[in-house]
Amino acid sequence: MLRAALTRALARRDGVLVLGPLGFENAYALAMRRSRAEALGVRTLDDLGRAAPALRLGSDIEFLSRPEWRSVAAAYGLRFAATRSFSPTFMYRAVADGSVDVISAFSSDGRIAALDLVTLADPRRALPSYEALLLVSPRRVHDPRFLAALRPLVGKIPIDRMRQANLMVDRDAEKKSPAEAARWLLPAGR
């Protein structure tokens, strides 16, 4: 519903074509180390709401002041024993070393897979979706060859694959360039 309204607004206001979603989103998600989540029986944000009073939350620097936090905290009654803000790199390190129990992760971040984190299900849909969309500028809207080259990407990049591509460029060893990761993502490159 939101995507349809956005599609109409961008076309009318800017002449931009929303070609379609790529198949993943880059939204806020609350994440935990898999071993910790399993030990506590936490799979959803409802479960987290019950466990939160004994847990420590680490967030990126702005999350706790954003409407996403207010929405999810209200929907699930999230009240943590402690909260602490970090730069994203240190936030992921803090959850990995157990300094915090839960973090405000970015859903397509490669460190989720690399650190064996689990993102907690949001059954009440308190966190908004930030779907990755292919947008085409007005200069290319009527270019059939250009559109044909992009159409195979619509709906073809699942979140786990995007996390892997992000990890390829965001690590110290065997680092790939963004162009190499993009080629790896191409459906024909599978």
Side-chain angles (χ1 to χ4, degrees), residues 2-25:
L2 179 61
R3 187 182 340 133
L6 178 67
T7 298
R8 287 188 301 275
L10 286 173
R12 183 176 53 250
R13 188 187 76 201
D14 303 313
V16 169
L17 171 66
V18 176
L19 194 59
L22 287 168
F24 70 94
E25 66 176 6

Side-chain angles (χ1 to χ4, degrees), residues 3-161:
R3 187 182 340 133
L6 178 67
T7 298
R8 287 188 301 275
L10 286 173
R12 183 176 53 250
R13 188 187 76 201
D14 303 313
V16 169
L17 171 66
V18 176
L19 194 59
L22 287 168
F24 70 94
E25 66 176 6
N26 189 37
Y28 275 112
L30 294 182
M32 299 178 72
R33 283 178 292 137
R34 183 178 310 281
S35 60
R36 183 81 167 126
E38 288 174 356
L40 295 173
V42 175
R43 292 185 314 275
T44 69
L45 294 178
D46 281 314
D47 299 333
L48 182 62
R50 290 187 285 279
L55 302 176
R56 298 155 297 164
L57 171 69
S59 74
D60 71 40
I61 293 169
E62 64 182 54
F63 180 68
L64 295 174
S65 65
R66 291 181 59 93
E68 291 93 332
W69 167 245
R70 290 188 293 279
S71 174
V72 77
Y76 295 101
L78 297 178
R79 287 171 186 67
F80 290 91
T83 60
R84 187 164 170 208
S85 295
F86 298 89
S87 74
T89 297
F90 294 116
M91 177 184 71
Y92 282 94
R93 286 181 188 165
V95 76
D97 72 16
S99 298
V100 297
D101 303 292
V102 182
I103 61 169
S104 60
F106 307 109
S107 63
S108 68
D109 198 307
R111 293 171 286 195
I112 290 172
L115 299 173
D116 196 29
L117 304 180
V118 293
T119 57
L120 304 177
D122 178 10
R124 299 178 197 199
R125 297 181 184 183
L127 291 167
S129 172
Y130 289 103
E131 203 171 33
L133 299 173
L134 278 169
L135 303 178
V136 179
S137 79
R139 292 187 332 243
R140 301 305 290 268
V141 165
H142 302 291
D143 182 341
R145 203 165 145 224
F146 182 77
L147 296 176
L150 291 176
R151 277 198 180 93
L153 296 173
V154 174
K156 299 297 186 198
I157 304 174
I159 189 69
D160 58 334
R161 192 150 176 90

